[in-house]
Amino acid sequence: MKKILNSLSEEEFVLIRETKKAQMADLDEDKLITLHTRIRRARNKHVKLYRQEGAVKVADKGARGAGKAANTRNADKVEVFEAALSRVSGQLATAARASARELKDERLARARSDSPSFSELGDSNGKVGSSGKARADATRKSSGRKKFEASTIAAGARRHAKKDKR
């Protein structure tokens, strides 16, 4: 592992060093997402290189086993970036859970402060305080409603007449 870390480019080594626990401890969720994206892209790049160069070496060597042995450095780099990605993913999951918990607590506190208390409503013994309004169906008097009902009655009469003819 040490050998591979020493063989990484400066940019890659700095990226891996950013994934240490001490480095990620003070990062917020947005910065962790950015770091996660950078690590994932680097890992995907090395996976692609490993596969492409492996395919070329299989053709050159004549066998998959011999091609794999010639491609170990790329495989080791993929493992280093995979381990770094798992560290960042774990830290991101922890930060996301904490953020979700804070948002939930904030939402519940806001709901508690906005809702009315039952003690403020007075003593009504579970009964409605007002009698309310008497409801009347105003649509019965419209001409459209009368035509609709007449049409329905006529259709029913036609249906029965047709049935009685049989």
Side-chain angles (χ1 to χ4, degrees):
M1 182 65 108
K2 205 95 158 137
K3 201 175 189 183
I4 284 295
L5 287 176
N6 290 335
S7 72
L8 293 175
S9 70
E10 182 67 26
E11 201 174 289
E12 293 170 343
F13 184 73
V14 168
L15 189 59
I16 294 296
R17 198 173 57 208
E18 286 181 39
T19 66
K20 300 294 181 197
K21 273 218 185 263
Q23 298 287 329
M24 291 189 297
D26 57 342
L27 295 180
D28 65 342
E29 192 176 1
D30 293 332
K31 289 181 182 174
L32 281 170
I33 289 172
T34 304
L35 180 62
H36 188 270
T37 303
R38 289 172 46 216
I39 292 288
R40 189 172 28 85
R41 283 185 182 155
R43 190 255 343 236
N44 289 345
K45 170 187 159 187
H46 289 290
V47 166
K48 185 172 81 171
L49 284 174
Y50 170 69
R51 287 182 178 159
Q52 287 176 346
E53 289 181 17
V56 169
K57 288 181 180 176
V58 167
D60 292 343
K61 301 284 183 177
R64 284 191 314 190
K68 182 175 169 66
N71 202 15
T72 55
R73 184 169 183 273
N74 285 331
D76 291 341
K77 274 188 167 185
V78 169
E79 286 182 27
V80 166
F81 281 101
E82 189 67 39
L85 185 64
S86 74
R87 285 192 301 271
V88 174
S89 294
Q91 189 72 19
L92 180 60
T94 302
R97 278 192 299 272
S99 175
R101 196 176 316 112
E102 288 173 10
L103 288 172
K104 182 180 178 183
D105 291 343
E106 182 181 306
R107 182 177 46 84
L108 289 174
R110 194 172 47 237
R112 284 188 194 111
S113 67
D114 291 348
S115 66
S117 172
F118 289 110
S119 62
E120 297 170 359
L121 298 177
D123 188 28
S124 61
N125 296 328
K127 296 182 180 173
V128 177
S130 70
S131 61
K133 286 197 269 183
R135 291 186 149 211
D137 190 5
T139 59
R140 283 270 193 227
K141 296 175 183 163
S142 72
S143 61
R145 183 68 185 181
K146 288 179 182 176
K147 289 177 187 176
F148 176 76
E149 288 177 355
S151 171
T152 304
I153 292 169
R158 283 193 302 272
R159 230 180 1 258
H160 283 287
K162 188 175 180 183
K163 199 175 198 182
D164 289 343
K165 281 183 182 177
R166 294 184 202 161

